[in-house]
Amino acid sequence: MNQSSPPQRILVTGGAGFLGSHLCDRLLASGHDVLCVDNFYTSTRRNITHLLEHPNFELIRHDVTFPLYVEIDRIYNLACPASPIHYQRDPVQTTKTSVHGAINMLGLAKRTGARILQASTSEVYGDPELHPQPESYWGNVNPIGIRSCYDEGKRCAETLFFDYRRQHNLSIKVARIFNTYGPRMLPNDGRVVSNFINQALRGDSITIYGDGSQTRSFCYVDDLVEGLLRLMESDEEITGPINLGNPNEFSIKELAEKVVNLIDNGSNIVYEPLPQDDPTQRPPDIGQARKVLGWEPKIPLDEGLPITIDFFKGLM
Ligand code: NAD
Ligand code: UDP
Ligand code: UDP
C-alpha cells in the first residue's frame, strides 16, 4: 500500500472482529483516523482494548443493518459472522447483515463519496467444480441449504456493489477472501484451525469431519490484511472481485497432523460426520492479485501456525 498517502477517515465495519481488528492496527499505524463499527455479535472488546486510548481510534457499537450517518473517506465493510457455527445460529440475521448491511454502507458511500471495499468470500464459489477457482467462475452454490444464508448473502452483497457502481458510479472494491487464520480468532468459533489448536492444547481428541481428504488453503492474517490495503488503494478501475488467499493447499488431515506435531499433548485424531454442503476442495487462483496488486502471501502455514498457537496458549 501507499504508506505515504495522506491521512484518511476510515470506517471499518466489523472492526472488532478477527480480521477487522488487525486491519484497524495497520490503518492506525499508517496514521489514519479509524472509526470502528461493531455490534460485537461474534467478537469481544479484547481484540481492540489496546486501541481504545489511541487518539485516532473511535469505536461505535452499532448494527450495520440499521442506517449509519458519519463523514468518511473509505469504508472497509467486514461486518458479518464468518464461521459456520456463528452464521448458522441466526441465519436470517446473517443474510440481513450481508444484504441490509451492504445497502446501508453503499448508501453511506454514495452520500459521502467514500470508496468502499467489501469483504466477500470464497464461499461465493460454493462447492466448486473448478480448481483452483478463478474470479471468472460463477460458482456452484446451494440456494436453500444451511450455508446459504452466508453464501447467498455475500453473493447478493457483491451484486449490490456492482449495481451501485453501474447505477451511481461508486468507487468499489470487492475482495473474495479465502480461509484466513491467526491470533484473535475466537477459540470457540468452530473453524478448523482454532478448533484443532484448542483441542490439542487441552489434550482433547482432534475432530476431523469426514475422512479429512477435503482441502483448504490457509492464509495468515497479516498477509490478508496487506492484500485488503493494496486493493483499497489500487487504481479506480480495479474493482475486483479479486481472490485473496494462500494458494498452498492442504488436506484437513495434513493440518491435523501438523497441529499434533507442534503441540505434543497426546491428542488422538477422531473422525466425525462431514457437515452438509462442506466443499471438498478450495484453493484460490491468485493470478489477478499477483498481477494487479503485486500481492501474494509471504507467511507459510509452518510459520503462521506457531504464532497462532502462542496466541491461544496466552488465552488459556
Ligand atoms: P469475525 O466474526 O471475527 O468478524 C466479524 C465482525 O463483524 C465481528 O466483530 C462481529 O461482531 C461483527 N458483526 C457481525 N454482524 C454485525 C452487524 N450486523 N453489525 C455490526 N457488526 C457486526 O470474522 P472475520 O473472520 O474477522 O471476518 C471478517 C469478514 O471477512 C467477514 O465479512 C467475513 O465474511 C469475511 N471473510 C473472512 C474469512 C476468514 O477466513 N476469516 C474468509 C472469507 C471471508
Ligand atoms: N444510508 C446510510 N447512511 C448514509 C446514507 C444512506 O445508512 O449516510 C442508508 C439509508 O438508510 C438507505 C440506504 O443507505 O436506506 C441506501 O441508500 P440509498 O441512497 O442508496 O437509497 P435510498 O436512500 O434512496 O433508499
Ligand atoms: N473441520 C474439521 N474439524 C473441525 C472443524 C472443521 O474437520 O473441528 C473441517 C470442515 O468440515 C471443513 C474444513 O475443516 O472441511 C474447514 O472448515 P472451516 O469451518 O474452518 O471453514 P470452511 O468450511 O468455511 O472453509
Side-chain angles (χ1 to χ4, degrees), residues 82-84 87 123 147 179 190-193 195-196 199 207-210 214 216 218 252 274-275 278-279 282:
S83 79
Y87 70 64
E123 301 283 335
R147 294 174 82 106
N179 299 60
R191 286 191 260 195
V192 68
V193 173
N195 257 17
F196 285 2
Q199 288 166 339
T207 53
I208 290 184
Y209 304 155
Q214 73 270 33
R216 294 294 188 273
F218 302 100
I252 294 305
L274 192 67
D278 198 280
R282 196 198 288 131

Side-chain angles (χ1 to χ4, degrees), residues 66-70 103-108 110-112 164 168:
F66 295 98
L68 177 70
Y69 286 82
V70 288
I103 291 174
N104 286 328
M105 292 308 108
L106 287 161
L108 172 62
K110 183 180 138 201
R111 183 181 60 77
T112 57
Y164 266 82
H168 301 298

Side-chain angles (χ1 to χ4, degrees), residues 299-316:
I299 301 162
L301 191 56
D302 287 334
E303 223 174 280
L305 267 185
I307 308 174
T308 312
I309 290 170
D310 284 346
F311 165 76
F312 284 119
K313 270 187 192 156
L315 286 188
M316 290 180 155

Side-chain angles (χ1 to χ4, degrees), residues 14 16-20 37-43 62-65 78-82 93 97 119-121 150 154 177-180 191:
F18 160 50
L19 296 181
V37 164
D38 206 299
N39 67 351
F40 296 104
Y41 185 64
T42 53
S43 56
H62 174 80
D63 180 335
V64 294
T65 62
L78 271 60
C80 186
Q93 174 65 18
T97 294
S120 190
T121 169
Y150 185 72
K154 290 283 189 180
I177 302 171
F178 284 65
N179 299 60
T180 302
R191 286 191 260 195

Side-chain angles (χ1 to χ4, degrees), residues 2 15 31 66 78 98 117 119 129 146 175 179 220 228 241 252:
N2 182 5
F66 295 98
L78 271 60
S98 275
L117 180 148
E129 291 151 323
I146 57 172
N179 299 60
Y220 187 67
L228 293 179
I252 294 305

